[in-house]
Amino acid sequence: MSIEGRHIVVTGGGSGVGAATAQALAAAGARVTVMGRREGPLREQGLAYQICDVTDADAVAQAFAAARDAQGPILGVIANAGAAESQPFAKMPAGMLADMLSVNLIGVANVWQAALPDMKAAGWGRMIAVASTAGLKGYAYVSAYVAAKHGVVGLTRALALELAGAGITVNAICPGFIDTPMLDRSVANIVEKTGMSEADARAALVKDNPQKRFIQTDEVAEAALYLLSDAARSVNGHTLTLSGGEI
Ligand code: NAP
């Protein structure tokens, strides 16, 4: 069974990984709905879109209902929306941990829960999170983000078992640093806080990758295409790392 004609939702689909994945899915013949908070980047994708904040379960439910009305039952979700804030733990402002958990972990749970009835009714579904290598190992100065991404991996593993009998697979893609607007913001943050040059900041981020390069968005898109495919029907509760051997 291919994904041709299947309706797939991509959150954070207006930029970076989400945009590349949404375009790859559309090129493969899927019916795609992209979601995010800003209309401009969503509209630029030239695909169906719904505006929603993934941290708001009611807004997510409304967006999924509207997407379903427009393009039919939702049989795949790429829970990709996320954000990364950096701060030494001792200086972490009140609210940062809650914010990171809210968008990176609860946001994933909200969109997966919204898609569950359609998948159960079809007896077929694919839930995919774009987690991170930060879901599998620690990194200094991003403790809240790392905690949230570890939570996504836990959610993935538990839900995979819970839904295994329903024809639904649940998996996480765990990339290292990817060349996206999020990476550009991380580099700018390092430059601002340390006075490092941009080239040195980029070198500091790439050093953990044994291949010494940033992951490209099309690599994540291809991994998502595989996990969505019927060929991946036995891949369940898996963390697919894209990190050049870092993990
Ligand atoms: P990005 O370009 O900043 O994309 C993040 C997307 O998420 C944006 O389109 C943003 O759109 C959306 N988003 C953020 N908060 C949201 C919210 N509350 N509700 C709905 N949408 C929201 O960065 P990216 O690198 O492609 O990130 C995609 C995913 O990859 C994230 O989960 C990130 O943690 C993960 N990741 C990134 C890297 C990296 O180095 N870049 C490495 C590993 C994993 P709006 O602002 O319009 O809502």
Side-chain angles (χ1 to χ4, degrees):
M1 218 178 280
S2 87
I3 62 158
E4 200 170 340
R6 290 181 186 274
H7 185 186
I8 315 287
V9 167
V10 182
T11 67
S15 64
V17 169
T21 303
Q23 293 300 336
L25 297 184
R31 279 179 280 165
V32 180
T33 302
V34 286
M35 294 187 187
R37 294 167 302 178
R38 291 166 300 152
E39 184 171 13
L42 293 177
R43 198 182 323 107
E44 276 170 26
Q45 299 309 312
L47 300 166
Y49 67 86
Q50 296 291 335
I51 296 164
C52 86
D53 184 330
V54 296
T55 67
D56 179 342
D58 290 339
V60 167
Q62 278 175 24
F64 271 67
R68 188 179 295 116
D69 285 349
Q71 299 212 81
I74 294 151
L75 299 185
V77 176
I78 315 293
N80 162 79
E85 298 286 342
S86 164
Q87 200 59 256
F89 182 71
K91 292 186 186 167
M92 194 163 78
M96 185 189 276
L97 179 59
D99 286 350
M100 288 294 96
L101 291 172
S102 187
V103 61
N104 292 301
L105 173 57
I106 295 171
V108 173
N110 285 341
V111 297
W112 281 353
Q113 209 167 38
L116 196 48
D118 284 352
M119 295 185 188
K120 277 193 165 165
W124 193 97
R126 295 283 186 269
M127 295 191 182
I128 298 165
V130 179
S132 169
T133 47
L136 298 167
K137 62 173 271 193
Y139 293 89
Y141 308 120
V142 279
S143 54
Y145 179 75
V146 168
K149 292 294 189 181
H150 272 66
V152 173
V153 168
L155 180 70
T156 299
R157 289 174 173 156
L159 202 52
L161 299 179
E162 197 168 316
L163 300 176
I168 301 167
T169 64
V170 189
N171 292 290
I173 301 172
C174 295
F177 285 108
I178 317 164
D179 214 348
T180 70
M182 182 182 281
L183 179 75
D184 295 340
R185 289 192 296 274
S186 298
V187 168
N189 186 43
I190 293 170
V191 168
E192 187 195 319
K193 284 190 177 148
T194 66
M196 251 185 214
S197 70
E198 189 181 322
D200 285 349
R202 290 178 79 85
L205 293 181
V206 92
K207 75 173 181 344
D208 286 335
N209 182 319
Q211 294 177 336
K212 304 298 174 215
R213 63 176 185 82
F214 293 121
I215 310 302
Q216 299 301 306
T217 56
D218 65 303
E219 299 178 73
V220 186
E222 289 295 332
L225 274 169
Y226 168 64
L227 291 172
L228 284 164
S229 74
D230 209 44
R233 62 192 175 280
S234 302
V235 181
N236 195 22
H238 186 66
T239 50
L240 178 51
T241 61
L242 304 174
S243 66
E246 180 184 353
I247 292 182

Short mmCIF file of all heavy atoms in Angstrom, two decimals, residues 75-79 105 108-109 111-113 115-116 119-120 124-131 151-174 223-224 226-229 232-240:
data_model
loop_
_atom_site.label_atom_id
_atom_site.label_comp_id
_atom_site.label_asym_id
_atom_site.label_seq_id
_atom_site.Cartn_x
_atom_site.Cartn_y
_atom_site.Cartn_z
N LEU A 75 -4.66 9.74 7.93
CA LEU A 75 -4.07 8.43 8.20
C LEU A 75 -2.59 8.49 8.53
O LEU A 75 -1.96 7.47 8.85
CB LEU A 75 -4.32 7.50 7.01
CG LEU A 75 -5.81 7.25 6.73
CD1 LEU A 75 -5.98 6.22 5.62
CD2 LEU A 75 -6.56 6.79 7.98
N GLY A 76 -2.03 9.70 8.46
CA GLY A 76 -0.62 9.86 8.85
C GLY A 76 -0.41 11.22 9.47
O GLY A 76 -1.03 12.20 9.03
N VAL A 77 0.40 11.28 10.50
CA VAL A 77 0.74 12.57 11.12
C VAL A 77 2.25 12.65 11.30
O VAL A 77 2.86 11.75 11.89
CB VAL A 77 0.07 12.75 12.50
CG1 VAL A 77 0.54 14.06 13.14
CG2 VAL A 77 -1.44 12.75 12.37
N ILE A 78 2.84 13.70 10.76
CA ILE A 78 4.25 13.99 11.04
C ILE A 78 4.23 15.11 12.09
O ILE A 78 3.99 16.28 11.77
CB ILE A 78 5.01 14.49 9.78
CG1 ILE A 78 4.69 13.64 8.54
CG2 ILE A 78 6.51 14.52 10.07
CD1 ILE A 78 5.16 12.23 8.57
N ALA A 79 4.45 14.72 13.35
CA ALA A 79 4.45 15.69 14.46
C ALA A 79 5.84 16.32 14.51
O ALA A 79 6.75 15.82 15.18
CB ALA A 79 4.10 15.00 15.77
N LEU A 105 6.63 18.27 23.47
CA LEU A 105 6.08 16.98 23.93
C LEU A 105 4.55 16.97 23.90
O LEU A 105 3.95 16.13 23.22
CB LEU A 105 6.59 16.67 25.35
CG LEU A 105 5.98 15.44 26.02
CD1 LEU A 105 6.19 14.18 25.18
CD2 LEU A 105 6.56 15.25 27.43
N VAL A 108 3.08 17.12 20.47
CA VAL A 108 3.07 15.83 19.75
C VAL A 108 1.87 15.00 20.20
O VAL A 108 1.13 14.45 19.38
CB VAL A 108 4.40 15.06 19.99
CG1 VAL A 108 4.33 13.67 19.38
CG2 VAL A 108 5.58 15.84 19.43
N ALA A 109 1.67 14.93 21.51
CA ALA A 109 0.54 14.13 22.03
C ALA A 109 -0.78 14.68 21.52
O ALA A 109 -1.68 13.93 21.13
CB ALA A 109 0.57 14.14 23.57
N VAL A 111 -1.49 16.28 18.69
CA VAL A 111 -1.80 16.00 17.28
C VAL A 111 -1.99 14.49 17.04
O VAL A 111 -2.83 14.09 16.23
CB VAL A 111 -0.77 16.61 16.30
CG1 VAL A 111 -0.76 18.12 16.40
CG2 VAL A 111 0.63 16.07 16.50
N TRP A 112 -1.26 13.68 17.77
CA TRP A 112 -1.48 12.24 17.61
C TRP A 112 -2.86 11.84 18.11
O TRP A 112 -3.55 11.02 17.49
CB TRP A 112 -0.38 11.47 18.36
CG TRP A 112 0.93 11.41 17.61
CD1 TRP A 112 1.16 11.85 16.33
CD2 TRP A 112 2.17 10.88 18.08
NE1 TRP A 112 2.47 11.62 15.99
CE2 TRP A 112 3.12 11.03 17.04
CE3 TRP A 112 2.58 10.29 19.27
CZ2 TRP A 112 4.44 10.61 17.15
CZ3 TRP A 112 3.90 9.87 19.38
CH2 TRP A 112 4.83 10.03 18.34
N GLN A 113 -3.26 12.43 19.24
CA GLN A 113 -4.58 12.10 19.79
C GLN A 113 -5.70 12.52 18.82
O GLN A 113 -6.68 11.81 18.64
CB GLN A 113 -4.77 12.79 21.14
CG GLN A 113 -5.69 12.05 22.07
CD GLN A 113 -5.60 12.57 23.49
OE1 GLN A 113 -5.47 13.78 23.70
NE2 GLN A 113 -5.69 11.70 24.45
N ALA A 115 -5.62 12.58 15.67
CA ALA A 115 -5.67 11.73 14.47
C ALA A 115 -6.12 10.30 14.77
O ALA A 115 -6.47 9.55 13.87
CB ALA A 115 -4.29 11.68 13.83
N LEU A 116 -6.12 9.94 16.03
CA LEU A 116 -6.34 8.54 16.40
C LEU A 116 -7.68 7.95 15.93
O LEU A 116 -7.69 6.82 15.39
CB LEU A 116 -6.18 8.40 17.92
CG LEU A 116 -5.99 7.00 18.48
CD1 LEU A 116 -4.93 6.22 17.73
CD2 LEU A 116 -5.62 7.09 19.96
N MET A 119 -7.51 6.84 12.28
CA MET A 119 -6.61 5.71 12.06
C MET A 119 -7.24 4.42 12.59
O MET A 119 -7.15 3.37 11.94
CB MET A 119 -5.26 5.96 12.75
CG MET A 119 -4.49 7.13 12.15
SD MET A 119 -2.86 7.29 12.92
CE MET A 119 -2.31 8.86 12.22
N LYS A 120 -7.85 4.52 13.75
CA LYS A 120 -8.51 3.32 14.31
C LYS A 120 -9.63 2.85 13.41
O LYS A 120 -9.79 1.65 13.16
CB LYS A 120 -9.04 3.63 15.72
CG LYS A 120 -7.96 3.52 16.78
CD LYS A 120 -8.59 3.51 18.16
CE LYS A 120 -7.58 3.04 19.20
NZ LYS A 120 -8.01 3.33 20.57
N TRP A 124 -5.51 1.39 9.94
CA TRP A 124 -4.20 1.70 9.33
C TRP A 124 -3.82 3.12 9.73
O TRP A 124 -4.63 4.04 9.65
CB TRP A 124 -4.29 1.64 7.80
CG TRP A 124 -2.96 1.63 7.08
CD1 TRP A 124 -2.29 0.52 6.63
CD2 TRP A 124 -2.13 2.75 6.72
NE1 TRP A 124 -1.11 0.88 6.01
CE2 TRP A 124 -0.99 2.25 6.06
CE3 TRP A 124 -2.24 4.13 6.90
CZ2 TRP A 124 0.04 3.07 5.57
CZ3 TRP A 124 -1.22 4.96 6.42
CH2 TRP A 124 -0.10 4.43 5.75
N GLY A 125 -2.60 3.28 10.19
CA GLY A 125 -2.17 4.63 10.53
C GLY A 125 -0.67 4.70 10.76
O GLY A 125 -0.02 3.69 11.03
N ARG A 126 -0.16 5.90 10.59
CA ARG A 126 1.28 6.15 10.79
C ARG A 126 1.45 7.42 11.63
O ARG A 126 1.07 8.50 11.20
CB ARG A 126 1.98 6.36 9.43
CG ARG A 126 1.99 5.14 8.52
CD ARG A 126 3.05 4.15 9.00
NE ARG A 126 3.20 3.02 8.11
CZ ARG A 126 2.52 1.88 8.20
NH1 ARG A 126 1.61 1.72 9.13
NH2 ARG A 126 2.75 0.90 7.34
N MET A 127 1.99 7.25 12.83
CA MET A 127 2.31 8.41 13.66
C MET A 127 3.83 8.53 13.70
O MET A 127 4.52 7.57 14.08
CB MET A 127 1.76 8.22 15.06
CG MET A 127 0.25 8.17 15.08
SD MET A 127 -0.33 8.25 16.76
CE MET A 127 -2.11 8.12 16.49
N ILE A 128 4.31 9.69 13.32
CA ILE A 128 5.77 9.91 13.25
C ILE A 128 6.08 11.22 13.96
O ILE A 128 5.44 12.25 13.69
CB ILE A 128 6.25 9.97 11.79
CG1 ILE A 128 5.97 8.63 11.09
CG2 ILE A 128 7.74 10.32 11.72
CD1 ILE A 128 6.07 8.68 9.58
N ALA A 129 7.04 11.19 14.87
CA ALA A 129 7.50 12.42 15.52
C ALA A 129 8.87 12.77 14.96
O ALA A 129 9.70 11.89 14.75
CB ALA A 129 7.61 12.22 17.03
N VAL A 130 9.09 14.05 14.73
CA VAL A 130 10.46 14.51 14.49
C VAL A 130 11.00 14.89 15.86
O VAL A 130 10.71 15.96 16.38
CB VAL A 130 10.53 15.68 13.49
CG1 VAL A 130 11.98 16.11 13.30
CG2 VAL A 130 9.91 15.26 12.15
N ALA A 131 11.69 13.92 16.48
CA ALA A 131 12.28 14.17 17.82
C ALA A 131 13.66 14.75 17.58
O ALA A 131 13.79 15.79 16.91
CB ALA A 131 12.30 12.88 18.63
N GLY A 151 11.09 12.91 26.37
CA GLY A 151 9.67 12.61 26.60
C GLY A 151 8.99 12.12 25.32
O GLY A 151 8.17 11.20 25.36
N VAL A 152 9.34 12.73 24.19
CA VAL A 152 8.75 12.30 22.91
C VAL A 152 9.14 10.85 22.60
O VAL A 152 8.31 10.07 22.14
CB VAL A 152 9.21 13.23 21.76
CG1 VAL A 152 8.74 12.70 20.41
CG2 VAL A 152 8.71 14.65 21.98
N VAL A 153 10.39 10.51 22.88
CA VAL A 153 10.82 9.13 22.64
C VAL A 153 10.05 8.17 23.54
O VAL A 153 9.59 7.10 23.11
CB VAL A 153 12.36 9.01 22.82
CG1 VAL A 153 12.79 7.55 22.86
CG2 VAL A 153 13.07 9.75 21.69
N GLY A 154 9.85 8.55 24.79
CA GLY A 154 9.07 7.70 25.71
C GLY A 154 7.63 7.54 25.25
O GLY A 154 7.08 6.43 25.25
N LEU A 155 7.04 8.65 24.83
CA LEU A 155 5.66 8.62 24.33
C LEU A 155 5.57 7.69 23.11
O LEU A 155 4.64 6.89 22.98
CB LEU A 155 5.23 10.05 23.95
CG LEU A 155 3.83 10.22 23.39
CD1 LEU A 155 2.79 9.99 24.48
CD2 LEU A 155 3.66 11.64 22.81
N THR A 156 6.55 7.80 22.23
CA THR A 156 6.58 6.99 21.01
C THR A 156 6.62 5.49 21.36
O THR A 156 5.85 4.68 20.82
CB THR A 156 7.85 7.34 20.18
OG1 THR A 156 7.77 8.72 19.83
CG2 THR A 156 7.97 6.49 18.94
N ARG A 157 7.51 5.15 22.29
CA ARG A 157 7.68 3.73 22.63
C ARG A 157 6.44 3.16 23.30
O ARG A 157 6.04 2.02 23.02
CB ARG A 157 8.91 3.57 23.53
CG ARG A 157 10.21 3.79 22.77
CD ARG A 157 11.41 3.78 23.68
NE ARG A 157 12.65 3.84 22.90
CZ ARG A 157 13.81 4.29 23.37
NH1 ARG A 157 13.91 4.72 24.62
NH2 ARG A 157 14.88 4.31 22.60
N ALA A 158 5.82 3.95 24.18
CA ALA A 158 4.62 3.46 24.88
C ALA A 158 3.45 3.32 23.93
O ALA A 158 2.74 2.30 23.92
CB ALA A 158 4.28 4.42 26.02
N LEU A 159 3.24 4.35 23.10
CA LEU A 159 2.09 4.34 22.20
C LEU A 159 2.22 3.25 21.13
O LEU A 159 1.22 2.66 20.71
CB LEU A 159 1.98 5.74 21.55
CG LEU A 159 0.62 6.15 21.02
CD1 LEU A 159 -0.47 5.97 22.06
CD2 LEU A 159 0.69 7.61 20.56
N ALA A 160 3.45 2.99 20.73
CA ALA A 160 3.68 1.93 19.74
C ALA A 160 3.12 0.60 20.25
O ALA A 160 2.50 -0.17 19.50
CB ALA A 160 5.17 1.80 19.44
N LEU A 161 3.32 0.33 21.53
CA LEU A 161 2.82 -0.92 22.11
C LEU A 161 1.30 -0.88 22.24
O LEU A 161 0.60 -1.85 21.97
CB LEU A 161 3.46 -1.15 23.48
CG LEU A 161 4.99 -1.28 23.47
CD1 LEU A 161 5.51 -1.48 24.89
CD2 LEU A 161 5.44 -2.43 22.57
N GLU A 162 0.80 0.29 22.65
CA GLU A 162 -0.64 0.43 22.89
C GLU A 162 -1.45 0.27 21.61
O GLU A 162 -2.57 -0.24 21.63
CB GLU A 162 -0.88 1.82 23.50
CG GLU A 162 -2.21 1.98 24.19
CD GLU A 162 -2.24 3.27 25.01
OE1 GLU A 162 -1.26 3.59 25.72
OE2 GLU A 162 -3.27 3.96 24.93
N LEU A 163 -0.86 0.68 20.47
CA LEU A 163 -1.62 0.68 19.21
C LEU A 163 -1.19 -0.43 18.25
O LEU A 163 -1.67 -0.50 17.12
CB LEU A 163 -1.45 2.04 18.52
CG LEU A 163 -1.95 3.25 19.33
CD1 LEU A 163 -1.66 4.55 18.60
CD2 LEU A 163 -3.44 3.12 19.62
N ALA A 164 -0.30 -1.30 18.72
CA ALA A 164 0.27 -2.31 17.82
C ALA A 164 -0.80 -3.21 17.20
O ALA A 164 -0.66 -3.65 16.06
CB ALA A 164 1.30 -3.15 18.56
N GLY A 165 -1.88 -3.45 17.94
CA GLY A 165 -2.92 -4.34 17.42
C GLY A 165 -3.93 -3.64 16.53
O GLY A 165 -4.85 -4.28 16.00
N ALA A 166 -3.75 -2.33 16.36
CA ALA A 166 -4.74 -1.54 15.61
C ALA A 166 -4.29 -1.19 14.21
O ALA A 166 -4.94 -0.39 13.52
CB ALA A 166 -5.06 -0.26 16.39
N GLY A 167 -3.17 -1.77 13.77
CA GLY A 167 -2.67 -1.46 12.42
C GLY A 167 -1.97 -0.11 12.34
O GLY A 167 -1.74 0.43 11.25
N ILE A 168 -1.62 0.43 13.49
CA ILE A 168 -1.01 1.77 13.54
C ILE A 168 0.43 1.62 14.05
O ILE A 168 0.66 0.92 15.05
CB ILE A 168 -1.80 2.68 14.51
CG1 ILE A 168 -3.26 2.81 14.03
CG2 ILE A 168 -1.14 4.05 14.64
CD1 ILE A 168 -4.20 3.43 15.07
N THR A 169 1.37 2.25 13.37
CA THR A 169 2.75 2.28 13.88
C THR A 169 3.09 3.67 14.39
O THR A 169 2.54 4.67 13.92
CB THR A 169 3.78 1.86 12.81
OG1 THR A 169 3.76 2.80 11.75
CG2 THR A 169 3.50 0.46 12.29
N VAL A 170 3.99 3.70 15.37
CA VAL A 170 4.38 4.97 16.01
C VAL A 170 5.90 4.98 16.10
O VAL A 170 6.50 4.11 16.75
CB VAL A 170 3.77 5.08 17.43
CG1 VAL A 170 4.01 6.48 18.00
CG2 VAL A 170 2.29 4.74 17.43
N ASN A 171 6.52 5.95 15.45
CA ASN A 171 7.98 5.99 15.40
C ASN A 171 8.50 7.42 15.53
O ASN A 171 7.76 8.37 15.28
CB ASN A 171 8.48 5.40 14.07
CG ASN A 171 8.21 3.90 13.97
OD1 ASN A 171 8.84 3.10 14.68
ND2 ASN A 171 7.26 3.52 13.12
N ALA A 172 9.76 7.53 15.91
CA ALA A 172 10.39 8.85 16.03
C ALA A 172 11.63 8.90 15.15
O ALA A 172 12.42 7.96 15.11
CB ALA A 172 10.77 9.12 17.48
N ILE A 173 11.78 10.02 14.44
CA ILE A 173 13.01 10.28 13.69
C ILE A 173 13.88 11.17 14.59
O ILE A 173 13.38 12.16 15.15
CB ILE A 173 12.70 10.99 12.36
CG1 ILE A 173 11.78 10.12 11.50
CG2 ILE A 173 14.00 11.32 11.61
CD1 ILE A 173 11.26 10.81 10.24
N CYS A 174 15.14 10.79 14.76
CA CYS A 174 16.02 11.51 15.68
C CYS A 174 17.25 12.04 14.94
O CYS A 174 18.30 11.40 14.93
CB CYS A 174 16.45 10.57 16.82
SG CYS A 174 15.08 10.06 17.87
N ALA A 223 13.26 9.79 5.26
CA ALA A 223 13.03 8.87 6.38
C ALA A 223 11.53 8.82 6.70
O ALA A 223 10.97 7.74 6.97
CB ALA A 223 13.82 9.33 7.61
N ALA A 224 10.88 9.97 6.65
CA ALA A 224 9.43 10.01 6.92
C ALA A 224 8.67 9.22 5.85
O ALA A 224 7.75 8.46 6.16
CB ALA A 224 8.94 11.46 6.97
N TYR A 226 9.71 6.70 4.18
CA TYR A 226 9.88 5.27 4.45
C TYR A 226 8.97 4.82 5.58
O TYR A 226 8.25 3.81 5.46
CB TYR A 226 11.35 4.97 4.80
CG TYR A 226 11.53 3.58 5.37
CD1 TYR A 226 11.25 2.46 4.60
CD2 TYR A 226 11.91 3.40 6.70
CE1 TYR A 226 11.37 1.18 5.13
CE2 TYR A 226 12.02 2.13 7.24
CZ TYR A 226 11.75 1.02 6.46
OH TYR A 226 11.84 -0.24 6.99
N LEU A 227 8.96 5.57 6.68
CA LEU A 227 8.14 5.15 7.84
C LEU A 227 6.65 5.18 7.51
O LEU A 227 5.86 4.45 8.11
CB LEU A 227 8.45 6.04 9.05
CG LEU A 227 9.85 5.84 9.65
CD1 LEU A 227 10.13 6.90 10.73
CD2 LEU A 227 10.01 4.43 10.24
N LEU A 228 6.26 6.02 6.56
CA LEU A 228 4.85 6.07 6.15
C LEU A 228 4.48 4.90 5.24
O LEU A 228 3.30 4.58 5.09
CB LEU A 228 4.58 7.37 5.38
CG LEU A 228 4.48 8.65 6.20
CD1 LEU A 228 4.60 9.87 5.29
CD2 LEU A 228 3.15 8.71 6.96
N SER A 229 5.47 4.28 4.65
CA SER A 229 5.19 3.28 3.62
C SER A 229 4.75 1.95 4.24
O SER A 229 4.99 1.67 5.42
CB SER A 229 6.45 3.03 2.77
OG SER A 229 7.39 2.28 3.52
N ALA A 232 7.39 -0.36 5.80
CA ALA A 232 7.83 -0.14 7.19
C ALA A 232 6.79 -0.63 8.20
O ALA A 232 6.82 -0.25 9.37
CB ALA A 232 8.11 1.35 7.41
N ARG A 233 5.89 -1.52 7.76
CA ARG A 233 4.78 -1.91 8.64
C ARG A 233 5.23 -2.62 9.92
O ARG A 233 4.50 -2.65 10.90
CB ARG A 233 3.75 -2.77 7.89
CG ARG A 233 4.28 -4.10 7.36
CD ARG A 233 3.27 -4.71 6.39
NE ARG A 233 3.78 -5.92 5.75
CZ ARG A 233 4.60 -5.94 4.70
NH1 ARG A 233 5.04 -4.80 4.18
NH2 ARG A 233 5.00 -7.08 4.17
N SER A 234 6.42 -3.21 9.90
CA SER A 234 6.91 -3.88 11.12
C SER A 234 7.82 -2.98 11.96
O SER A 234 8.28 -3.40 13.02
CB SER A 234 7.69 -5.15 10.75
OG SER A 234 6.86 -6.02 10.01
N VAL A 235 8.07 -1.78 11.48
CA VAL A 235 8.92 -0.84 12.23
C VAL A 235 8.02 -0.09 13.19
O VAL A 235 7.17 0.71 12.77
CB VAL A 235 9.63 0.14 11.26
CG1 VAL A 235 10.53 1.09 12.04
CG2 VAL A 235 10.43 -0.63 10.21
N ASN A 236 8.16 -0.35 14.47
CA ASN A 236 7.21 0.21 15.43
C ASN A 236 7.91 0.50 16.76
O ASN A 236 8.63 -0.36 17.28
CB ASN A 236 6.07 -0.80 15.65
CG ASN A 236 4.87 -0.19 16.34
OD1 ASN A 236 4.67 1.03 16.31
ND2 ASN A 236 4.05 -1.02 16.96
N GLY A 237 7.73 1.71 17.28
CA GLY A 237 8.38 2.10 18.52
C GLY A 237 9.86 2.35 18.32
O GLY A 237 10.66 2.31 19.26
N HIS A 238 10.22 2.64 17.08
CA HIS A 238 11.64 2.75 16.70
C HIS A 238 12.09 4.21 16.76
O HIS A 238 11.31 5.13 16.50
CB HIS A 238 11.79 2.21 15.28
CG HIS A 238 13.19 2.12 14.79
ND1 HIS A 238 14.12 1.27 15.34
CD2 HIS A 238 13.83 2.77 13.79
CE1 HIS A 238 15.27 1.40 14.70
NE2 HIS A 238 15.12 2.31 13.76
N THR A 239 13.38 4.40 17.07
CA THR A 239 13.98 5.73 16.94
C THR A 239 15.00 5.66 15.82
O THR A 239 16.02 5.00 15.95
CB THR A 239 14.67 6.15 18.26
OG1 THR A 239 15.53 5.11 18.71
CG2 THR A 239 13.63 6.46 19.34
N LEU A 240 14.68 6.31 14.72
CA LEU A 240 15.55 6.28 13.53
C LEU A 240 16.48 7.48 13.60
O LEU A 240 16.06 8.62 13.44
CB LEU A 240 14.67 6.33 12.27
CG LEU A 240 15.36 6.37 10.91
CD1 LEU A 240 16.39 5.26 10.78
CD2 LEU A 240 14.33 6.23 9.80
#
